[in-house]
Amino acid sequence: MTPPPAHTPQAALRSRHLAMLALGGVIGAGLFVGTGAGLAAAGPAVLVSYLLAAALALAIMRMLGELAAAMPESGSFSVYAHRALGPWAGFTTGWLYTMVTAVAIAVEALAGAAILHAWWPAVPSWAFTLTVMTVVALVNMTDVRTFGEAEFWFALLKVLAVLTFIALGAAALLGLLPGAHSPGLAHLTGDGGFAPHGLSGIVTALLGVVFAFGGMEVIGMAAAESHDPGRSIRSAVRTAIWRIALFYLGSVLVLVLILPWGSARPDESPYVAALVRLGIPHADVITQAVILVALLSALNANLYGTSRMLYSLAERGEAPRALTLRTRRRVPARAVAAASAVGFATVVPEAVLPGAALPLLAKAMGAAMLFMWLALACSHLVLRRSLERTGRLVLRTRGFPTTTRTVIGAIVTLLVLMALSPATRPQLLTSAALSAALAVTGARRARSRDHLPRRARGRFHGTEGLAPAGRSRDETRGTRTPNASRRP
């Protein structure tokens, strides 16, 4: 591998790529599959659970967009935590994200392979796992633009699928869909009322549906490789917020109105049942195809995000330095290979015991997303004022600091609720133990700064030395910057 020409600007991702990354990162398999568990737990009041989860997630996205537009970095919230809270926080959040998303990559590859194996049972599932991982890894190895285009079309297909479902449901409810009976508002208030399980049902559903909004973190990393980060992120976040609210809440509302909540099954997609009620032929195959696209999209985005986080950790001296090396097309190929290692490693157990690895890995991710969101909110609380003083803000979170403090309080409340629930307590304890171990390791490393390269020691503290808003750091460094100190 050789470094690219030093004058080449990093502008591979455009506004349309970032907009679809913001949408596609949130509209995942969690929406199409996980809604069934929420509907069974809360009944029609799952709308309240989704509304609260969406408000929290979109506030986090706004904060992340604000920081990413002002400080485009491959390490995103990990770098912000490093600057705001100290090196231990950057180390902890960076490695926590890397570990969780590496597991998520494996889960998504296995789940996608399971769908393909159901369609073509003659082909072993491990072969599909290997194929899926190879294709997505090659997409990420090629160049950033190829990744962006792949994610754009993946996300567009998901968006069109959700819009089509909303349109079909609205037509049926208005009596405009031939052969479909309109239940009106009967399912919204009948069958035990709007909230048949009361507040406890809403809380139980909230603890499940909030994780469906994970995945938006990748937009912060993509800012570092976008054209005009300030303008692109600002546009992407502003449009994504209302679109995500429409797609999530709109599709869930259609589900609630069409399906009796008692028919929902936690382990089944309610979208299949809804399409069957609407008289759509091959509803199960259609839904499986949409879920497969959602899984491939999430796998593609997670592989990108994990590789960039590894690159950033290596750049700061907190991961092997070799991971900073890039190809001529500016791809951190070794970081991409390392990020995909867990996914490829699952091929062996899948070949030996088909179907055994997926449930085990799925339980390992736990509540780590909430810890990362908490670190991001705390970082925003610390960095916002210094960015405002330097005039770097191009996107502003309304109601600061009250909004940020409210988000911190909401995340802490969710963590407490998870601790009180027997169903979610093991996931919380696993994530808390992992986070604590990383924090202790990071604190010990921070006591001795000799392990950090001199360039990294001065670069990741405070907000000094940053490029002007809307321009990447590479564009302000000149042509003499060493390859290892530049973002991918």
Side-chain angles (χ1 to χ4, degrees), residues 208-486:
V209 303
V210 69
F211 296 103
F213 289 88
M216 63 183 176
E217 300 86 2
V218 72
I219 192 175
M221 302 171 202
E225 297 181 271
S226 66
H227 176 75
D228 194 354
R231 182 179 302 174
S232 298
I233 289 290
R234 179 177 58 190
S235 174
V237 170
R238 285 177 174 173
T239 57
I241 283 178
W242 69 265
R243 288 175 181 174
I244 290 171
L246 169 65
F247 297 152
Y248 257 91
L249 299 180
S251 64
V252 174
L253 176 61
V254 168
L255 283 175
V256 167
L257 292 175
I258 291 177
L259 287 177
W261 70 268
S263 66
R265 297 291 180 268
D267 56 345
E268 296 178 1
S269 172
Y271 287 83
V272 175
L275 290 175
V276 169
R277 281 183 173 265
L278 295 179
I280 306 300
H282 309 295
D284 55 341
V285 176
I286 293 172
T287 306
Q288 283 183 334
V290 173
I291 293 173
L292 177 61
V293 170
L295 289 168
L296 293 176
S297 172
L299 172 56
N300 189 44
N302 277 329
L303 183 53
Y304 172 86
T306 309
S307 65
R308 270 47 181 187
M309 184 63 77
L310 278 173
Y311 179 96
S312 178
L313 287 167
E315 193 181 26
R316 286 176 272 161
E318 294 171 347
R321 195 70 178 170
L323 297 179
T324 61
L325 295 179
R326 296 169 294 159
T327 66
R328 288 186 177 276
R329 293 187 175 183
R330 310 182 69 82
V331 176
R334 292 186 180 181
V336 173
S340 59
V342 177
F344 279 110
T346 58
V347 172
V348 176
E350 187 66 11
V352 177
L353 294 172
L358 179 57
L360 180 63
L361 288 171
K363 294 178 181 178
M365 291 186 285
M369 183 190 76
L370 290 178
F371 288 109
M372 290 184 286
W373 283 6
L374 182 61
L376 172 61
C378 292
S379 301
H380 181 262
L381 190 64
V382 173
L383 295 176
R384 164 66 185 262
R385 288 191 176 91
S386 60
L387 290 172
E388 204 162 18
R389 286 195 300 269
T390 57
R392 296 188 46 79
L393 289 178
V394 295
L395 178 68
R396 296 174 182 269
T397 301
R398 296 175 183 175
F400 178 85
T402 303
T403 301
T404 306
R405 288 171 178 164
T406 301
V407 167
I408 293 173
I411 296 173
V412 172
T413 301
L414 282 175
L415 293 172
V416 171
L417 291 173
M418 289 189 71
L420 297 175
S421 171
T424 56
R425 190 181 300 131
Q427 297 182 20
L428 175 66
L429 293 177
T430 300
S431 298
L434 176 59
S435 301
L438 289 172
V440 170
T441 303
R444 287 177 176 174
R445 290 173 63 89
R447 290 194 186 100
S448 173
R449 297 170 59 84
D450 293 340
H451 70 283
L452 287 171
R454 183 169 300 180
R455 288 188 299 270
R457 283 205 300 266
R459 180 181 161 191
F460 288 97
H461 287 279
T463 57
E464 69 277 3
L466 297 173
R471 297 180 64 192
S472 67
R473 189 187 308 273
D474 285 347
E475 295 176 271
T476 64
R477 287 184 180 174
T479 59
R480 298 178 63 185
T481 306
N483 174 51
S485 66
R486 300 175 58 164

Side-chain angles (χ1 to χ4, degrees), residues 130-147 150 299-300 303 308 327 329 331 333 336-337 340 344:
L130 180 61
T131 301
V132 167
M133 282 302 308
T134 301
V135 170
V136 177
L138 288 175
V139 167
N140 278 264
M141 284 282 193
T142 305
D143 56 34
V144 179
R145 178 63 64 88
T146 301
F147 156 78
L299 172 56
N300 189 44
L303 183 53
R308 270 47 181 187
T327 66
R329 293 187 175 183
V331 176
V336 173
S340 59
F344 279 110

